[in-house]
């Protein structure tokens, strides 16, 4: 049945812009809620047509019909969730608070409908009996839909389904609340410095960015804003130990200071509700529920990978701490190494050992050149892609840049949007979003977004990057490539629509090209003189690659194991008192031997947005799980000649283009000729498993 939506609403019809880019110039806040409501109503009507079709179920009247539902809802959802994370406003936050639980209820209404479950079961029976012949992608879709419906509760009695629906709606609301509260808390926790002498060591660009950030908020001084991580990048260069302490402690305290921005009550309720839902669905705990949907399959398999690495990483970190303590005492004879000292003195030891520091690198790492001559060039060499900036197309914020992507024959591939700078309206961290999914069913090409949080220098000054930001640019563009190079028929299998624990795999592989000599020599060029990065600096950069790996692995594992610990709890074991959050963290880390003084988890629970405000609950382990595949694939590239067009084409055709249209491990075996092996990862990180 027709659904009424004001025809002047930009979401009422598909965008007429190139590649169906949402018309952000026309979209206003008041357009979202009516479009959501119309989109949900339209999809309910479309589902009803599928479920009441009297014909025997087949690919066309069931699987493809389901794929065609919800087009309006997809248009508004992709635009809204991108903007609310990248350029939020109080108005958008109010819409999010209202719409998140309603969307959860909407999808439960559709996918818990017993008629859908029965129709898919009938189609599976017909396929098994040879009455219908399903293409491989459709057979894979059917298998996953049937499994997803069971996991959603479709086979439960009505009373338990209603409980699941209520829990889902509450979880959706709480996740939105956590994200919104954390953004406010992070902004409120930024550290104001009023004495310029206390900024000694801070690069001119960082100092200018801090001055501008303070001015933007009507403050007099320099505002040190917080990234999502526990360890803030300014700790490397700030010479004043007291300012470093203030910054680090402000970072670690986020969400646990009491008051209106405290996130702990929200996260405890989320943990309890997830545990209750898992029990209703027949799982031991939420971690078991999540693992089944990935390639890991069981929480025991996740633990078997993570736990043996923890003591090895912690042992390496403790050895690193000895060297850092000596370096600290050269400046502060009576000081004990703390978390706010580690980044600075790790950089000093690295500099002494390898004659390298961020200050030496920055002049050679200018954003514009890294993007065009690094990230884009590698994509051209491997996949034949070319990038042309489209200044006639606008994004959702003035800082967003739009690039048209074409292949080596000039054929259109899609659009890439780059949103690189931090701002108060943007969530912390870095991520990729899809605005339009590639699919042959709808004859649509992809539109993807990369978001970073690079401090923006004053107008007219160059954006000089740390090496970490360079790696992040290549990493996030790996996700973008997964979307841009997708070549599937069904939109639900497009691009990054793969199991959560392998979604990071292509992005981690793409990091390797930041180190590739043929790429590095093009982008690592002095922003003033045009001179290439000196060979000795490049050599020491490579030599230092495994430096501080004990710290890096320990902080990552700390976060991954915290995530697992929270989501292995039974409902009755979840604490009631917010004061129990920090003791729980300490106990969980100590239990696996990863409680290293001065090394905080990459995220503590109260600001762990991946887990309590996003889609990584019980799945943060996936970065390391994916890195096993990544390290093995990097070895494959090396064995086959590295940066070569035929290698890129093989990787594209075997994996990147296939999205979720087939089993991801089968695709990996098709590339590698065998199952993944952990050896390359252990060698990369300088680790050996330790029995626990």
């Amino acid at each position: 049945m027709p659904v009424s939506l004001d025809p002047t609403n930009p979401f009422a019809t598909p965008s007429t812009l190139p590649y169906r880019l949402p018309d952000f110039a026309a979209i206003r806040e008041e357009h979202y809620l009516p479009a959501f409501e119309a989109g949900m109503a339209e999809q309910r009507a479309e589902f009803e047509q599928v479920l009441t079709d009297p014909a025997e179920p087949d690919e066309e009247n069931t699987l493809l019909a389901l794929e065609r539902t919800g087009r309006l809802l997809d248009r508004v959802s992709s635009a809204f969730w991108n903007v609310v994370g990248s350029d939020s406003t109080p108005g958008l936050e109010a819409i999010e608070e209202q719409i998140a639980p309603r969307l959860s209820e909407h999808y439960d209404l559709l996918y818990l409908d017993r008629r859908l479950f029965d129709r898919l079961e009938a189609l599976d029976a017909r396929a098994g009996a040879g009455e219908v012949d399903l293409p491989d992608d459709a057979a894979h879709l059917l298998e996953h839909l049937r499994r997803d419906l069971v996991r959603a509760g479709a086979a439960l009695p009505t009373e338990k389904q209603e409980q699941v629906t209520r829990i889902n709606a509450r979880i959706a609301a709480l996740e939105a609340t956590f994200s919104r509260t954390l953004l406010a808390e992070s902004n409120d926790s930024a550290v104001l410095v009023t004495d310029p002498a206390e900024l000694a060591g801070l690069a001119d660009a960082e100092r200018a960015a801090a001055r501008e950030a303070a001015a933007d908020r009507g403050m007099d001084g320099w505002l040190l804003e917080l990234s999502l991580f526990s360890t803030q990048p300014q700790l490397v260069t700030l010479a004043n130990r007291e300012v470093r302490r203030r910054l680090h402690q402000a970072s670690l305290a986020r969400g646990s200071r009491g008051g209106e921005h405290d996130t702990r009550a929200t996260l405890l309720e989320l943990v309890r509700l997830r545990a209750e839902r898992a029990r209703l669905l027949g799982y031991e705990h939420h971690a078991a529920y999540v693992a089944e949907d990935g390639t890991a399959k069981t929480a025991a398999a996740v633990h078997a990978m993570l736990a043996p690495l923890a003591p090895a990483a912690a042992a390496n970190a403790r050895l690193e701490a000895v060297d850092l303590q000596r370096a600290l005492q050269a400046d502060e004879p009576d000081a004990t190494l703390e978390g706010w000292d580690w980044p600075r003195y790790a950089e000093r030891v690295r500099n002494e050992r390898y004659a390298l520091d961020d200050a030496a690198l920055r002049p050679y790492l200018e954003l514009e050149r890294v993007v065009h001559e690094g990230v884009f060039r590698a994509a051209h060499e491997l996949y034949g892609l070319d990038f042309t900036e489209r200044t006639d197309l606008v994004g959702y914020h003035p800082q967003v840049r739009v690039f048209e992507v074409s292949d080596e024959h000039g054929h259109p591939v899609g659009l890439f949007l780059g949103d690189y700078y931090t701002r108060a309206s943007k969530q912390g961290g870095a991520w990729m979003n899809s605005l339009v999914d590639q699919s042959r069913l709808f004859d649509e090409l992809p539109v993807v977004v990369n978001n970073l949080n690079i401090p923006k220098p004053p107008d007219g000054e160059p954006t000089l990057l740390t090496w970490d930001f360079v790696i992040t640019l290549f990493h996030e563009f790996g996700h973008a490539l997964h979307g841009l190079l997708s070549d599937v028929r069904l939109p639900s299998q497009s691009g990054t629509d793969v199991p959560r624990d392998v979604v990071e795999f292509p992005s981690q592989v793409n990091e390797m090209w930041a180190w590739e000599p043929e790429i590095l020599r093009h982008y690592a060029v002095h922003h003033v003189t045009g001179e290439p990065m000196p060979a000795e600096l490049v050599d020491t950069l490579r030599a230092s690659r495994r430096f501080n790996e004990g710290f890096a692995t320990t902080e990552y594992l700390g976060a991954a194991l915290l995530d697992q610990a929270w989501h292995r709890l039974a409902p009755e074991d979840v604490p009631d008192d917010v004061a129990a959050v920090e003791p729980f963290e300490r106990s969980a880390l100590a239990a696996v031997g990863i409680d290293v003084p001065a090394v905080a988890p990459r995220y503590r629970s109260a600001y762990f947005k991946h887990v309590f405000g996003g889609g990584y609950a019980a799945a943060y382990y996936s970065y390391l799980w994916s890195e096993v595949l990544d390290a093995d694939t990097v070895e494959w590239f090396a064995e086959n000649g590295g940066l070569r067009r035929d290698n890129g084409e093989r990787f594209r055709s075997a994996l990147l283009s296939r999205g979720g249209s087939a089993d991801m491990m089968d695709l990996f075996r098709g590339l590698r000729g065998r199952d993944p092996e952990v050896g390359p990862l252990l060698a990369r990180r300088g680790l050996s498993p330790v029995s626990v």
Side-chain angles (χ1 to χ4, degrees):
M1 56 180 286
V3 175
S4 176
L5 180 63
D6 187 336
T8 65
N9 188 306
F11 296 111
T13 56
S15 171
T16 59
L17 293 176
Y19 302 89
R20 298 189 184 174
L21 174 72
D23 189 357
F24 290 111
I27 296 169
R28 298 187 302 275
E29 285 184 6
E30 59 265 29
H31 292 137
Y32 286 112
L33 194 55
F36 270 122
E37 291 171 341
M40 288 187 287
E42 179 181 87
Q43 190 173 34
R44 286 194 296 270
E46 292 165 340
F47 254 69
E48 192 64 24
Q49 289 181 342
V50 176
L51 300 183
T52 56
D53 189 331
E56 288 291 311
D58 58 22
E59 181 190 14
E60 178 61 38
N61 67 23
T62 301
L63 297 177
L64 298 187
L66 290 172
E67 289 284 301
R68 292 187 176 101
T69 68
R71 299 284 284 156
L72 169 56
L73 188 55
D74 287 344
R75 289 197 297 274
V76 62
S77 293
S78 61
F80 177 79
W81 294 114
N82 182 83
V83 174
V84 83
S86 304
D87 190 28
S88 192
T89 65
L92 290 173
E93 290 172 355
I95 295 169
E96 179 188 22
E97 185 173 12
Q98 180 178 353
I99 205 64
R102 291 179 60 188
L103 283 172
S104 175
E105 292 168 354
H106 167 73
Y107 289 118
D108 281 343
L109 179 68
L110 300 182
Y111 290 102
L112 291 180
D113 192 316
R114 184 73 192 200
R115 294 174 298 169
L116 176 60
F117 182 71
D118 291 343
R119 190 169 185 88
L120 293 176
E121 289 294 286
L123 177 55
D124 183 63
R126 295 189 73 211
E131 297 176 24
V132 293
D133 184 21
L134 296 178
D136 288 346
D137 60 349
H140 191 67
L141 174 62
L142 176 59
E143 175 190 348
H144 278 260
L145 278 175
R146 291 174 62 236
R147 186 197 64 192
D148 290 348
L149 290 184
V150 172
R151 287 171 52 79
L156 292 176
T158 301
E159 180 182 344
K160 287 190 175 182
Q161 281 190 358
E162 291 172 352
Q163 287 180 263
V164 169
T165 298
R166 288 194 297 270
I167 289 173
N168 287 344
R170 181 60 179 159
I171 285 174
L174 288 170
E175 288 175 345
T177 296
F178 187 94
S179 296
R180 185 171 60 255
T181 306
L182 177 58
L183 177 59
E185 170 75 340
S186 294
N187 286 333
D188 193 52
S189 298
V191 174
L192 182 66
V193 176
T194 56
D195 182 354
E198 293 184 342
L199 298 175
L202 205 65
D204 289 344
E206 292 177 303
R207 191 183 293 244
R211 184 72 163 175
E212 191 167 298
D216 287 346
R217 299 201 208 174
M219 299 177 179
D220 186 18
W222 294 261
L223 194 66
L224 303 178
E225 297 181 297
L226 302 181
S227 71
L228 198 56
F229 300 118
S230 294
T231 300
Q232 301 301 313
Q234 303 97 323
L235 295 177
V236 173
T237 52
L238 281 168
N240 187 298
R241 192 170 190 238
E242 174 58 19
V243 175
R244 294 201 309 272
R245 182 195 65 78
R246 288 174 56 202
L247 183 64
H248 189 62
Q249 290 188 340
S251 177
L252 297 187
R254 281 175 294 168
S256 59
R257 300 183 299 159
E260 62 178 324
H261 302 321
D262 196 298
T263 62
R264 290 173 296 177
T266 302
L267 78 86
L268 288 176
E269 188 177 354
L270 275 167
V271 171
R272 187 177 300 108
L273 288 172
R274 288 167 178 165
E276 290 176 0
R277 180 177 61 185
R279 180 174 286 177
L280 279 169
L281 294 170
Y283 296 86
E284 181 182 2
H285 41 56
H286 185 68
Y289 171 77
V290 170
E292 183 193 59
D293 195 39
T295 59
K297 299 305 180 189
T298 68
V302 174
H303 185 75
M305 179 189 69
L306 296 180
L309 296 178
N316 281 13
R318 290 189 179 96
L319 287 174
E320 292 165 1
V322 173
D323 288 339
L324 304 193
Q325 178 68 41
R326 291 194 195 103
L328 170 63
Q329 287 180 332
D331 290 345
E332 308 271 354
D334 299 323
T336 299
L337 185 73
E338 301 284 359
W340 51 87
D341 300 313
W342 194 297
R344 179 171 176 79
Y345 289 94
E347 189 64 21
R348 179 175 296 182
V349 170
R350 183 172 71 147
N351 188 34
E352 291 170 353
R353 193 168 293 171
Y354 302 103
L356 180 71
D357 63 19
D358 272 337
L361 293 174
R362 278 178 181 268
Y364 298 93
L365 302 174
E366 189 271 324
L367 173 63
E368 192 73 7
R369 191 166 189 101
V370 172
V371 169
H372 284 274
E373 296 298 328
V375 174
F376 289 173
R377 178 177 286 272
H380 175 77
E381 296 294 331
L382 285 163
Y383 310 112
L385 300 181
D386 292 305
F387 300 82
T388 304
E389 188 155 11
R390 292 286 302 266
T391 56
D392 58 316
L393 299 177
V394 300
Y396 48 85
H397 186 277
Q399 292 175 349
V400 177
R401 301 170 66 182
V402 182
F403 297 89
E404 184 169 19
V405 187
S406 57
D407 67 16
E408 57 198 329
H409 305 295
H411 300 146
V413 171
L415 289 181
F416 169 73
L417 280 64
D419 186 358
Y420 298 121
Y421 293 114
T422 189
R423 49 184 175 265
S425 61
K426 184 192 283 190
Q427 297 284 355
W431 64 95
M432 171 266 197
N433 278 338
S434 176
L435 292 172
V436 179
D437 290 330
Q438 176 275 329
S439 79
R440 294 194 298 275
L441 183 66
F442 295 128
D443 193 26
E444 289 185 338
L445 294 174
V447 178
V448 301
V449 185
N450 272 178
N451 267 282
L452 275 76
N453 268 280
I454 300 169
K456 188 179 187 306
D459 290 345
E461 294 190 16
T463 303
L464 304 181
L465 305 175
T466 65
W467 184 250
D468 284 346
F469 275 130
V470 172
I471 295 299
T472 302
L473 279 164
F474 277 86
H475 177 97
E476 294 305 330
F477 197 72
H479 287 305
L481 286 169
H482 205 177
L484 287 168
L485 296 177
S486 176
D487 184 15
V488 298
R489 182 172 62 126
L490 307 177
S492 66
Q493 298 175 340
S494 180
T496 57
D497 284 314
V498 297
R500 173 60 73 187
D501 59 7
V502 291
V503 74
E504 297 298 330
F505 164 42
S507 58
Q508 290 171 331
V509 168
N510 204 60
E511 293 177 22
M512 71 180 291
W513 307 117
W515 301 90
E516 171 65 31
E518 179 61 22
I519 300 300
L520 186 66
R521 73 179 180 86
H522 281 96
Y523 74 79
V525 173
H526 198 284
H527 72 101
V528 175
T529 67
E531 292 294 316
M533 184 182 287
E536 60 271 20
L537 200 54
V538 174
D539 291 342
T540 53
L541 179 63
R542 291 201 182 95
S544 70
R545 191 170 180 181
R546 275 171 50 181
F547 178 76
N548 211 37
E549 267 305 320
F551 173 89
T553 308
T554 297
E555 67 154 8
Y556 166 77
L557 286 171
L561 288 161
L562 271 182
D563 175 30
Q564 289 292 304
W566 281 117
H567 292 108
R568 284 171 166 264
L569 293 177
E572 60 271 15
D573 295 330
V574 179
D576 293 320
D577 187 352
V578 297
V581 170
E582 288 77 13
F584 178 87
E585 288 184 339
R586 290 193 294 270
S587 175
L589 296 176
V592 290
I594 204 167
D595 51 336
V596 180
V599 183
R602 185 176 295 180
Y603 308 99
R604 293 185 66 185
S605 305
Y607 51 89
F608 206 163
K609 183 178 182 294
H610 286 73
V611 166
F612 297 113
Y616 278 84
Y620 193 68
Y621 77 89
S622 62
Y623 284 90
L624 195 62
W625 192 273
S626 290
E627 196 178 349
V628 172
L629 307 181
D630 150 41
D632 207 349
T633 302
V634 168
E635 190 168 270
W636 173 83
F637 269 105
E639 291 168 356
N640 289 276
L643 186 74
R644 291 174 29 169
R645 181 73 179 83
D646 57 336
N647 286 340
E649 178 57 29
R650 175 101 181 267
F651 188 54
R652 184 203 67 78
S653 61
L655 279 157
L656 293 181
S657 66
R658 303 291 299 279
S661 64
D663 181 89
M664 195 69 180
M665 297 310 293
D666 287 344
L667 297 180
F668 180 88
R669 294 183 195 102
L671 175 75
R672 201 67 171 104
R674 57 165 172 76
D675 286 338
E677 296 178 354
V678 74
L681 171 64
L682 298 179
R684 172 190 289 181
R685 288 184 173 257
L687 298 176
S688 297
V690 175
S691 298
V692 292

